[in-house]
């Protein structure tokens, strides 16, 4: 997918905004106020009472995947090989977890977070690839069905391929 200079600037701006949010979420000394987690636990308890077997661990894992989907899309738009974004997602996630380990004793770095973040980057790249393939397919279809026109906009007559053409003998 070709990214124009203007679109590239927007993608970079989106990546900067995404980075700011991720730094705030992952590298803040204290994860979040306890009442935030209380709300999540209350919602999970309510869901479990209604037979939905959703646990806090599942919500956390899904959140780690979702957090890196934009990374896969945005970085995938910037790189010549989209799938490099997955490797960069893994490296970025590993750097975050190492920073938590080295500098933030109140945080709990895990290998699972790296795996889930990397999966999120892969999902983002896959979504980008699917969008690109759909767009290319639609462009080919549009090109095949485009009506021929003269320079002044008049429609040129086209033969109907369903009608057999009889050549004079």
């Amino acid at each position: 997918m070709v990214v124009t200079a203007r679109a590239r600037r927007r993608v970079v701006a989106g990546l900067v905004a995404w980075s700011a949010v991720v730094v705030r979420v992952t590298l803040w000394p204290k994860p979040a106020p306890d009442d935030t987690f209380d709300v999540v636990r209350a919602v999970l308890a309510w869901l479990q009472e209604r037979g939905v077997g959703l646990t806090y661990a599942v919500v956390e894992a899904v959140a780690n995947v979702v957090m890196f989907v934009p990374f896969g899309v945005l970085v995938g738009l910037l790189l010549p090989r989209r799938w490099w974004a997955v490797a960069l997602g893994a490296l970025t996630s590993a750097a975050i977890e190492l920073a938590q380990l080295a500098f933030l004793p109140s945080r709990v770095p895990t290998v699972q977070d790296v795996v889930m973040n990397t999966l999120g980057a892969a999902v983002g790249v896959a979504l980008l690839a699917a969008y690109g393939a759909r767009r290319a397919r639609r462009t080919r279809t549009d090109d095949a069905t485009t009506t021929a026109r003269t320079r002044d906009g008049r429609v040129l007559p086209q033969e109907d391929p369903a009608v057999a053409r009889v050549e004079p003998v």
Side-chain angles (χ1 to χ4, degrees), residues 147-157:
T147 304
R149 296 182 182 272
T150 63
R151 288 185 186 195
D152 62 355
R154 289 180 299 154
V155 176
L156 292 173

Side-chain angles (χ1 to χ4, degrees), residues 34 56 90 96 138 152:
D34 288 335
Y56 186 81
I96 289 168
R138 188 172 52 212
D152 62 355

Side-chain angles (χ1 to χ4, degrees), residues 45-138:
W46 182 83
L47 288 170
Q48 287 172 350
E49 289 171 5
R50 281 143 187 84
V52 179
L54 197 59
T55 65
Y56 186 81
V58 170
V59 171
E60 183 182 13
V62 170
N64 275 307
V65 172
V66 170
M67 181 169 60
F68 266 70
V69 169
F71 181 92
V73 171
L74 296 169
V75 174
L77 286 169
L78 296 174
L79 296 176
R81 304 264 189 261
R82 283 189 201 131
W83 291 102
W84 290 355
V86 178
L88 284 175
L91 291 172
T92 301
S93 180
I96 289 168
E97 297 301 309
L98 287 173
Q100 287 179 350
L101 179 66
F103 305 113
L104 300 168
S106 64
R107 302 301 296 249
V108 182
T110 66
V111 173
Q112 177 183 324
D113 288 353
V114 175
V115 171
M116 294 294 112
N117 293 159
T118 304
L119 178 61
V123 168
V125 170
L127 289 171
L128 183 61
Y131 173 76
R134 182 171 184 236
R135 187 172 175 205
R137 192 170 43 253
R138 188 172 52 212

